[in-house]
Amino acid sequence: MIMKQKSVALVGDQAVAHAVRQSNVDLIAAYPITPQTIIVETLNEFLSNGELSARYINVESEHSALSAVIGGSLAGGRTFTATASQGLGLMQEVLYVASGLRCPIIMAVTTRAMSAPINIHADHSDVMGSRDAGWMQIFCENVQEAYDLTLMAFRLAERDDVLLPIMVNLDGFLISHTMEDLKILEDSVVSEYLPPRVASLKLDPERPMTFGSFALPDYYTEFKRQQVEGIENALRAAPEEWKRFEALSGRKYTVTRPHFMDGAEIALVSMGTSAGTARYAASKMREDGLKVGALSVRLFRPFPSEEVKKALVNVNVIVVMDRTVSFGAYGGPLFNEITPLLYGTNDSPTIANFIYGLGGRDVTWRMMVDATEIALKKKKTGEKIPKAQFLGVRE
Amino acid sequence: MSFTSLKNLPLKESLAPGHRLCDGCGIPHVVRYALKAVDDHSVVIVNATGCLEVCTTPYPYTSWRVPYVHTLFGNTGAVASGIVETIEKLSSEKRSQYFDVIVFAGDGGTFDIGLQALSGALERGHDFLYICYDNEAYMNTGNQRSSATPMYSRTTTSYAGKAIPGKLERKKDIIGIVVAHGIKYAATASISHWRDYMTKVRKGVEVKGPAFIHVLQPCQTGWRYDPALTIKMAKMAVDANVFPLIEVEKGKYKITYRPPKKILVADYLKPQRRFAHLFLPENDHLIRQIQQYVDQNWERLNKLEKFSETG
Ligand SMILES: Cc1ncc(C[n+]2csc(CCOP(=O)(O)OP(=O)(O)O)c2C)c(N)n1
C-alpha cells in the first residue's frame, strides 16, 4: 500500500539527514567537510531537539569517524557517517576494514574534487578513487533520490547475504546544497520498514568471537572471495529491496535508469546529476531526428553488467561521460566498466569517452550534443574506441 | 577486590596459551594480569596492530576467549569510542549485553600514530580503559624507533654508530599528555609489580570515563637481553627510577611504589645490548646524562606528589 507522504522543500544534505533521523540509527560519527557539513549539522539539531535517539560522536578526524562507526557496527548497532573529498581520502585505509569486517555502515558522500588544487565542488574523483575498497556505491540524481536511496541503503547493507557498507553518493552542491521539492514518508512508516538492527554477528561476551584476524596467504584469498559473493548478491538484493520500497512510496528504482533507450542508435551514459542533462540533450537531439537515448548508472558497485549490456548491446554509438580522470589510463572508470561488456558483440559499437565537469565545472546539454557529434564523426572515420578526451577545456 | 597473593588470583585465562609471542615476551603478562583483575566483568578487547595482535590471531586460530577486535594501527581510541557509545545504547534498550571495553596498544600505536585518536577519545570522555604496553620501539616491524624509545637506545632506525650514539631524543611523557586531558585516572605500571598493576587496572575499569595505564613491557628481542630476565628487567627499571610507578587520580599525582633499594641506571642498562655502546669509555658521559635525567624526573614526580597532597 502506498503510504501518505509529506511534500517538503529541502536541500540534499537535509534530505539525507531526515532519512537518517527516521532510520533507527544507533551511532553517528560527525566531522565537518564541505559540501557534506549540513548533514551532520542537521542531525545534531535533531539530536539537540530530542528528535534523534542515536548516539552522536564529534570525532577528531574522518579516519576516526569511520573507525568509530566500525566499532559501533561490530557492537551490533546501525551506524552512519558522511564525508567528501579529503575526508574520504583520509579514510582510505579504514574503508577496506569496514568492508573486510562486513560492517553494514551507510556513508553519504557529497562527491567533491580531490586537492590539489583545492576545490570544493562536485566531481567523482573522491569516490572513484575508492571504487575498489569493497563498498557498494549508489549514485543519486536529485534530492528525492538522496532521501530514498539513503533509507533503502540500510536495509540492503544489513542483509545477511550482503552485509557490506554502502556509499550513497550525491553530487556536491548540485544535490547537497540544492533545494528541491520532495516527498518524505512518515516516521512510523519508516520505523516499520526499518526496525532497529538485529545483528547476527557482533561483539558479545556470551559468544566470544575474534574480529580482525591476521590472515596469511593460506586464507586471505578466501576472505576476499567471500566479499565478492556478498557484493555480487547485492545485484539481486538491491532490486528486491527497492521493490519493497516502491510498494510503500510509489517511487520506482532500478539499478540503471534507461531513457528513450528502446531502439536507440546513440546512447549517452552517465552517473549522478548529469544524467538529467543527458536526458535533456537526448530529447533535443531526438527533435533533430537522431535516435538518441540516455542511460544513468545508479548502482556503480556492484556494477550491473547484465543490465548495462542489455541496454547498450544494440546501440551503434556510445558516449560515456566520466566526471573524473584516471591519470595515464586510456579512459575513465565508467568507460572501463562498459567497454569490455560490448567486446565482440555483433557489430562492435563506437565508444567515445569524455572527461567533464571536473571541480564543479558546469556541463550543459549543448556540450553533450557536442560530445555526441564528435562520437558520430569517430564512427564515420571508423575509430571504434578513441582515447578519452576532455569536454569543455582550455587547451 | 584486593590481590593478596599470586595463588589467590582467578584461574580463568582469557588469553589462551599457544600464542606466538616470543619466548620471554612481557606482553602476555600485561594482558593476563589485566584480565584477571577484572575477571568478574564482561569485557571486550580492542587491539591495535602490533605484536600482540599478530601473534594472537593468526587465522583460523585465536588466543582470545573474550570478544576481541583489531582493525588498524592508529585508530583504537576511535574504535573504542564507537563500541562504548553503541553498547551503552544497545544495553540500555535490552538489545545487547553490557560490557567494559579495554584497549591494548603498543607504544607506536599510542605515542605516535594513535595519539590523535586517543586524544580525541579522552577529550570526549568515553568510558573505557586504555592500556599501552610499552616495549619502547616498533617491535612488530623489527625494532624501529618510536617516540617512546629511551634516549641513546639503539634501534634499527636509530643506529648507534661512530657518529651518532643511538636515539638522541628523550622519551615522550605520555602520562603528562593524557593527564592534560583532565581524565579521572591515569597510571604507570610494570609487569614486575603485578599487585600494583592489577589494582590500577581495577580502578581504571571502574572509574566512569576514560582511564589510561602505561605499562612497561620488556622485550628481549628488541632490547637484547637474556629472555629469562624479562621480569627482572621490569623490576630493575622500577628500582632504578627509570620507570617510576605512579597514578594520577583526578589530577593528583601519587607515587605508588618507592624502591626500597634504589639501583643505578647503569645497572639497569648493562644487561641490555641496545645500550651496549654506552659502556664504551668515550660514552661514559652519556650514562651520566641519563642518570641525571632520571634523577630530575624522580624529583619532579615527588614534587608533583607533594603538590597534590597539599594543594
Ligand atoms: C598505517 C600503518 N603504518 C604502518 C604499519 C606497519 N606496522 C605494523 S605494526 C607496527 C609497529 C607497532 O609498534 P607498536 O605499536 O610499538 O607495537 P609492537 O609492535 O611493539 O607490539 C608497524 C609500524 C601499519 N600496520 N599501519
Side-chain angles (χ1 to χ4, degrees):
Chain A
M1 191 180 77
I2 295 181
M3 296 296 177
K4 204 173 82 201
Q5 294 174 64
K6 216 169 44 183
S7 252
V8 288
L10 297 172
V11 300
D13 278 357
Q14 291 170 319
V16 169
H18 271 279
V20 174
R21 176 183 62 74
Q22 296 179 310
S23 296
N24 286 310
V25 167
D26 296 304
L27 179 70
I28 294 163
Y31 197 82
I33 184 166
T34 306
Q36 169 282 119
T37 312
I38 304 170
I39 299 177
V40 292
E41 285 175 343
T42 309
L43 285 168
N44 194 268
E45 212 174 306
F46 293 150
L47 185 82
S48 300
N49 289 330
E51 295 163 5
L52 182 70
S53 66
R55 292 291 180 109
Y56 184 106
I57 309 182
N58 277 300
V59 285
E60 78 300 330
S61 78
E62 287 89 349
H63 193 281
S64 284
L66 192 52
S67 299
V69 292
I70 286 176
S73 191
L74 292 177
R78 178 171 295 146
T79 60
F80 175 83
T81 190
T83 194
S85 183
Q86 308 310 120
L88 189 62
L90 195 56
M91 286 178 180
Q92 218 26 235
E93 65 162 350
V94 200
L95 291 173
Y96 293 78
V97 176
S99 56
L101 292 183
R102 310 301 290 268
C103 298
I105 295 159
I106 303 307
M107 178 158 73
V109 185
T110 52
T111 67
R112 165 181 153 178
M114 292 296 296
S115 197
I118 192 161
N119 172 295
I120 55 168
H121 293 279
D123 76 26
H124 297 161
S125 55
D126 51 3
V127 285
M128 285 300 135
S130 302
R131 66 187 187 275
D132 291 332
W135 286 57
M136 290 182 262
Q137 287 200 19
I138 302 172
F139 280 83
C140 309
E141 289 188 25
N142 55 43
V143 174
Q144 180 75 62
E145 291 196 10
Y147 170 80
D148 290 346
L149 289 165
T150 302
L151 279 185
M152 288 188 274
F154 288 105
R155 279 195 64 114
L156 175 58
E158 289 171 16
R159 283 174 59 131
D160 276 338
D161 59 346
V162 175
L163 209 63
L164 284 169
I166 302 182
M167 289 183 209
V168 178
N169 300 335
L170 44 148
D171 287 346
F173 291 99
L174 302 172
I175 300 178
S176 69
H177 286 59
T178 300
M179 189 167 287
E180 287 178 3
D181 215 13
L182 74 154
K183 289 207 159 51
I184 64 172
L185 290 157
E186 283 182 359
D187 291 1
S188 58
V189 171
V190 177
S191 194
E192 207 171 304
Y193 168 75
L194 206 59
R197 180 176 178 212
V198 181
S200 42
L201 296 176
K202 63 178 179 183
L203 293 165
D204 179 2
E206 303 266 285
R207 219 178 138 207
M209 268 182 287
T210 292
F211 292 89
S213 297
F214 181 46
L216 286 167
D218 53 349
Y219 279 103
Y220 185 85
T221 310
E222 282 69 26
F223 277 90
K224 296 299 122 180
R225 179 69 190 81
Q226 288 186 347
Q227 262 177 259
V228 169
E229 203 153 312
I231 201 162
E232 287 188 349
N233 283 346
L235 287 171
R236 180 174 35 77
E240 281 174 21
E241 291 303 332
W242 294 353
K243 271 216 181 72
R244 200 187 302 254
F245 184 79
E246 186 183 343
L248 286 181
S249 68
R251 291 186 290 280
K252 185 182 170 73
Y253 284 88
T254 44
V255 292
T256 60
R257 180 175 170 185
H259 177 81
F260 282 146
M261 284 301 297
D262 284 342
E265 290 169 0
I266 305 166
L268 286 165
V269 190
S270 61
M271 295 193 292
T273 47
S274 22
T277 316
R279 283 193 292 273
Y280 188 74
S283 65
K284 284 303 214 186
M285 288 187 273
R286 287 232 164 205
E287 286 171 14
D288 295 338
L290 286 173
K291 282 196 171 168
V292 187
L295 185 71
S296 168
V297 178
R298 181 173 281 134
L299 185 65
F300 178 72
R301 280 289 180 271
F303 197 77
S305 304
E306 287 303 316
E307 283 79 359
V308 172
K309 184 172 176 177
K310 221 186 295 158
L312 297 176
V313 73
N314 292 317
V315 176
N316 298 325
V317 177
I318 300 166
V319 177
V320 183
M321 305 287 293
D322 268 296
R323 199 164 196 151
T324 188
V325 190
S326 184
F327 295 97
Y330 195 77
L334 188 56
F335 166 85
N336 282 329
E337 294 294 334
I338 289 173
T339 308
L341 299 177
L342 302 170
Y343 176 80
T345 49
N346 338 348
D347 180 23
S348 303
T350 293
I351 309 174
N353 186 203
F354 295 89
I355 310 299
Y356 77 101
L358 302 187
R361 177 159 296 181
D362 200 16
V363 60
T364 64
W365 66 271
R366 281 179 203 285
M367 288 162 79
M368 299 232 188
V369 172
D370 290 348
T372 310
E373 280 167 3
I374 295 170
L376 286 169
K377 256 183 228 148
K378 299 279 182 196
K379 169 87 181 165
K380 267 204 196 105
T381 59
E383 211 182 333
K384 294 253 181 208
I385 307 184
K387 194 166 186 293
Q389 69 180 80
F390 276 75
L391 200 57
V393 70
R394 290 182 210 94
E395 295 282 7
Chain B
M1 194 186 277
S2 66
F3 307 103
T4 46
S5 80
L6 275 175
K7 269 193 306 199
N8 296 337
L9 293 186
L11 291 176
K12 191 168 102 189
E13 293 289 356
S14 297
L15 182 76
H19 55 70
R20 298 171 179 191
L21 288 154
C22 301
D23 53 341
C25 175
I27 299 176
H29 303 75
V30 175
V31 175
R32 289 170 58 216
Y33 285 136
L35 297 184
K36 282 177 189 287
V38 291
D39 87 315
D40 52 337
H41 288 235
S42 291
V43 294
V44 162
I45 305 303
V46 179
N47 191 191
T49 310
C51 294
L52 176 62
E53 165 263 327
V54 164
C55 296
T56 58
T57 66
Y59 190 85
Y61 307 107
T62 180
S63 308
W64 295 92
R65 290 174 175 150
V66 287
Y68 165 101
V69 56
H70 155 259
T71 63
L72 289 162
F73 188 17
N75 69 346
T76 44
V79 174
S81 304
I83 295 176
V84 169
E85 291 304 308
T86 306
I87 200 58
E88 283 178 2
K89 178 173 188 283
L90 265 55
S91 60
S92 75
E93 294 168 357
K94 309 255 176 308
R95 289 163 59 199
S96 262
Q97 188 198 320
Y98 181 78
F99 51 73
D100 289 295
V101 173
I102 300 180
V103 174
F104 289 106
D107 49 292
T110 304
F111 287 58
D112 292 343
I113 200 167
L115 188 64
Q116 176 180 319
L118 171 62
S119 172
L122 297 182
E123 183 268 333
R124 294 185 301 264
H126 310 285
D127 189 8
F128 68 102
L129 169 63
Y130 190 110
I131 298 178
C132 169
Y133 63 91
D134 180 7
N135 48 35
E136 305 195 312
Y138 295 100
M139 289 310 179
N140 187 48
T141 37
N143 194 14
Q144 292 82 27
R145 166 218 196 272
S146 79
S147 61
T149 301
M151 202 174 198
Y152 302 134
S153 175
R154 171 196 185 279
T155 71
T156 59
T157 52
S158 63
Y159 269 110
K162 287 203 182 76
I164 305 174
K167 187 195 174 196
L168 296 179
E169 302 78 21
R170 291 176 68 180
K171 188 181 177 92
K172 194 186 269 184
D173 175 17
I174 194 71
I175 289 291
I177 292 171
V178 300
V179 166
H181 289 77
I183 64 171
K184 287 193 196 128
Y185 192 76
T188 63
S190 171
I191 53 171
S192 51
H193 295 67
W194 56 271
R195 194 179 289 124
D196 176 81
Y197 174 41
M198 290 176 74
T199 308
K200 288 170 173 172
V201 169
R202 189 111 198 134
K203 278 190 188 175
V205 165
E206 285 177 353
V207 76
K208 184 92 188 110
F212 181 91
I213 302 179
H214 175 204
V215 193
L216 184 70
Q217 176 250 308
C219 165
Q220 56 94 352
T221 319
W223 299 10
R224 302 172 74 205
Y225 60 81
D226 175 352
L229 298 183
T230 294
I231 302 296
K232 190 162 178 209
M233 291 316 307
K235 183 167 186 310
M236 286 173 94
V238 175
D239 287 343
N241 287 338
V242 167
F243 200 88
L245 301 183
I246 64 164
E247 70 184 1
V248 190
E249 249 172 309
K250 295 189 181 149
K252 289 190 190 309
Y253 277 74
K254 186 176 161 202
I255 295 168
T256 58
Y257 177 81
R258 289 175 180 279
K261 221 173 132 238
K262 200 185 129 189
I263 63 168
L264 289 176
V265 169
D267 297 339
Y268 165 66
L269 303 180
K270 188 83 191 168
Q272 309 178 47
R273 280 194 290 142
R274 62 175 172 159
F275 295 115
H277 56 290
L278 296 184
F279 291 89
L280 297 171
E282 66 269 27
N283 284 338
D284 204 34
H285 65 291
L286 300 180
I287 295 186
R288 268 183 277 125
Q289 191 189 2
I290 300 174
Q291 181 71 58
Q292 194 192 344
Y293 282 146
V294 164
D295 293 343
Q296 277 171 2
N297 186 48
W298 181 246
E299 208 180 300
R300 181 183 71 97
L301 291 172
N302 276 279
K303 279 184 185 154
L304 280 168
E305 185 184 58
K306 201 167 244 145
F307 179 77
S308 298
E309 279 165 3
T310 57

